[in-house]
Amino acid sequence: MQALSQILTILLVMSSISDAFPNQEEDLAAFKNAYLQYEKYFTEGNLRESLPQARLAYELGLPLLGGDSYEACKLAYNYGNNLVQLRRFKEALPKMTEALDCLETNQGADSIELAPVLMDLGHVDANINRGKTRMKLYNRAFKLYERNYGDDSIEFAWFSVKAGKDMMYLARDRQGAKHLKTGFEILWSKLGEQDSKTGYAAYHLGKHEISSKRYKAAKRYLLIALASFDNPDKPSSTIELSTHAFLVLVYEELGEGDLATQHSLAIGRMTPFESTQEYFPLYKKPAVYPKSALHQRNEGYVVVQFTVDENGFVREPRVIRVEGDKAFERPALDAVKTFRYAPRFVDGEAVAVKGVQNKITFSINK
């Protein structure tokens, strides 16, 4: 969920604090630096770096702002939310509880600002208390948005998308997909498929459908996500790259490998090429364990060398090393032939890459 720091007015009240407490200027400067560093790292998605800054801003901010102030409520939430995003749920519980009590006191039990706090407490409950109260917390958050904006509003839809996504990823709650889809359908009808919010919702629905092996449904959503990008053939962000990578997987699983090529090329245009030894496939099928080796419980590996052509297909694979049973060679070669890569680009043109290697390991779970 969106951090409450993004709607926080702490920095706007700093000048008044400084005027009122001139002896606290050093603490104020340290607080300001911690808070800005937290916001920078959190916005970038660097949660491990943002956490100590969120904690420091919280610890320094409470005596400066007052432990029961509106701003202090939000500092507690930011710290707790960072912990939730890192899945450190037990540590997050006291901070999220503190944030909820504080906001209820400052803003009232019907304030819309309680919604993200309630959602995070639901995620915490799902992970440490087996979800005994999570639905009550989730439902209260959705009711706040419905009451304030209406259940067919863009605001309600966007909240449903973000909340549903977090329910799936942080709480493994099946209802998350339902909320995500509800939000997507409202956004699609009101904003159209080329809007970035619609695309974001479609992207996460596509991921969900892939996890359930519903590849046709995944293709529909991912293509809608693709349509929301400024230049679909030249991805410029992580989510755009991921959309292309997921479409490679989907088309290969649907037996439409040729349609995966444009997405392999799009990834290649953006991704710098560094080494054939660290060249990882976008898509691959696991090697089939030979029955004879499995029966004898033989283990080992095969190193295969090949060329990746201008469209990301594997060409001319050959075995260059075998450790263990010789029966591993054929399934290793068959597996490598299914691989799809992002082609290498030189001066704006896709080129073949020779000498690419991949190690296929055959191991029995014991």
Side-chain angles (χ1 to χ4, degrees), residues 187-249:
L187 293 171
W188 190 37
S189 67
K190 290 182 175 290
L191 300 178
E193 68 176 32
Q194 293 187 322
D195 185 85
S196 61
K197 286 184 169 66
T198 306
Y200 180 86
Y203 166 78
H204 285 288
L205 279 170
K207 284 180 63 177
H208 171 67
E209 297 295 352
I210 287 173
S211 69
S212 302
K213 300 186 184 299
R214 294 190 289 262
Y215 298 112
K216 287 185 178 180
K219 180 172 75 170
R220 171 181 173 253
Y221 288 124
L222 292 170
L223 289 174
I224 291 173
L226 200 66
S228 71
F229 302 152
D230 291 334
N231 191 338
D233 292 330
K234 294 183 179 181
S236 59
S237 69
T238 301
I239 194 170
E240 293 180 23
L241 277 174
S242 296
T243 302
H244 284 289
F246 284 133
L247 280 166
V248 171
L249 182 154

Side-chain angles (χ1 to χ4, degrees), residues 332-356:
L333 286 169
D334 290 341
V336 164
K337 291 175 183 177
T338 70
F339 288 9
R340 289 301 303 271
Y341 284 82
R344 180 185 184 185
F345 273 72
V346 176
D347 297 327
E349 297 292 330
V351 299
V353 182
K354 297 181 179 181
V356 180

Side-chain angles (χ1 to χ4, degrees), residues 1 67 102 116 118 135 151 158 164 189 220-221 275 278 283 288 317 326-328 342 347:
M1 294 297 293
C102 184
L118 292 165
M135 291 313 301
D151 62 4
W158 187 229
S189 67
R220 171 181 173 253
Y221 288 124
S275 167
E278 300 294 330
Y283 172 83
V288 177
K326 283 280 187 180
F328 294 143
D347 297 327

Side-chain angles (χ1 to χ4, degrees), residues 10-21 28:
I10 287 178
L11 298 182
L12 297 178
V13 301
M14 282 185 172
S15 59
S16 62
I17 295 175
S18 181
D19 292 339
F21 304 99
L28 182 61

Side-chain angles (χ1 to χ4, degrees), residues 297 299 363-366:
R297 303 190 68 78
E299 298 183 326
S363 178
I364 301 171
N365 294 327
K366 297 176 181 177

Side-chain angles (χ1 to χ4, degrees), residues 38-56:
Y38 154 75
E39 195 168 50
K40 173 182 178 292
Y41 288 128
F42 191 88
T43 302
E44 293 171 350
N46 194 343
L47 299 175
R48 295 192 183 282
E49 293 294 335
S50 65
L51 180 61
Q53 301 302 323
R55 180 176 62 246
L56 184 58

